[in-house]
Amino acid sequence: MEPIRRRQLIDATVAAIHEHGFADTTVSRISALAGVSSGIVHHYFGGKDDLLEATLRAIAAELRRDTTDRLARASSPRERIDAVIDSNLDPERFTPTAVSAWLAFWSQVPTSARLARIQRIIMRRVHSNLVHALRQMQVPSERADRIAMGLGILLDGLWLRAAFEESGPDPKSALALVRDYLDSHLRELRHEEPA
């Protein structure tokens, strides 16, 4: 029962952040959305800060699992890059509710060492996966690092921009934009190769 209850509370936290914003997300609002007493939240997580950290960890773990599954199915370096991009912009993940949650967590990173540490791990993992695949494509190290950084910034920027779009996230357009960025860099590299 504990894993089910914890998952229920984490889902309720994401929903509460989307509905009320980070500052107004309270244990009582989370517990009401989950249909449990506030005491249950304290029993499983100790308090709001612990629950918020667990929520970010859970979201990060879902992203990691999805990326790992996609990477395992990839049969080329380009497919490995696409796996990272696709997992970050998957229509089931790139939703208004998820965008609200990520934006709320990002806003806390400057003042929360716990959340900042988790965010750094997420960013490093994305960057490392992209650099590894680019290096397999014979992209020079410095250039691979720059392209991976640009892709990471573009992914984060698309999530940030989606928070301000009235229509919400548009996974199809976002994927096209990221792939266009990657393709333009790869074309440029091919033109630079000696004949």
Side-chain angles (χ1 to χ4, degrees):
M1 187 64 181
E2 180 176 345
I4 294 169
R5 183 68 76 202
R6 289 175 70 87
R7 181 74 242 181
Q8 182 183 17
L9 291 169
I10 286 167
D11 290 344
T13 302
V14 171
I17 290 171
H18 178 66
E19 189 174 331
H20 303 288
F22 195 88
D24 292 330
T25 293
T26 62
V27 168
S28 62
R29 283 187 165 151
I30 293 166
S31 59
L33 282 170
V36 300
S37 71
S38 295
I40 294 291
V41 174
H42 293 291
H43 171 74
Y44 285 108
F45 294 102
K48 180 182 173 182
D49 289 343
D50 294 329
L51 176 55
L52 292 171
E53 180 182 355
T55 300
L56 182 55
R57 285 185 184 282
I59 293 169
E62 288 170 9
L63 176 61
R64 184 186 70 243
R65 278 191 301 273
D66 184 42
T67 303
T68 301
D69 289 346
R70 290 174 191 260
L71 288 170
R73 293 190 305 269
S75 59
S76 70
R78 176 56 194 253
E79 286 182 9
R80 291 182 64 81
I81 295 171
D82 287 339
V84 174
I85 294 168
D86 292 349
S87 64
N88 276 271
L89 296 174
D90 185 287
E92 290 184 22
R93 177 170 295 107
F94 195 39
T95 66
T97 302
V99 166
S100 294
W102 276 112
L103 187 60
F105 284 118
W106 284 342
S107 73
Q108 299 305 304
V109 164
T111 57
S112 170
R114 294 162 77 177
L115 299 180
R117 182 178 170 279
I118 297 166
Q119 186 59 41
R120 280 193 303 274
I121 291 168
I122 295 166
M123 290 170 61
R124 282 189 200 128
R125 190 176 293 128
V126 168
H127 187 78
S128 173
N129 283 324
L130 291 170
V131 167
H132 178 71
L134 287 163
R135 291 295 296 130
Q136 287 181 321
M137 296 174 77
Q138 309 306 312
V139 175
S141 293
E142 185 179 312
R143 195 72 169 269
D145 188 64
R146 248 188 14 237
I147 293 170
M149 183 178 292
L151 285 168
I153 291 168
L154 187 53
L155 289 169
D156 289 344
L158 286 165
W159 276 78
L160 179 62
R161 177 67 62 94
F164 303 108
E165 296 291 338
E166 283 185 31
S167 58
D170 180 356
K172 187 176 178 182
S173 294
L175 280 168
L177 183 66
V178 176
R179 288 202 175 107
D180 184 56
Y181 172 86
L182 174 62
D183 289 340
S184 69
H185 278 279
L186 295 178
R187 277 193 305 273
E188 184 179 309
L189 281 165
R190 282 194 296 275
H191 289 349
E192 291 174 7
E193 290 176 358

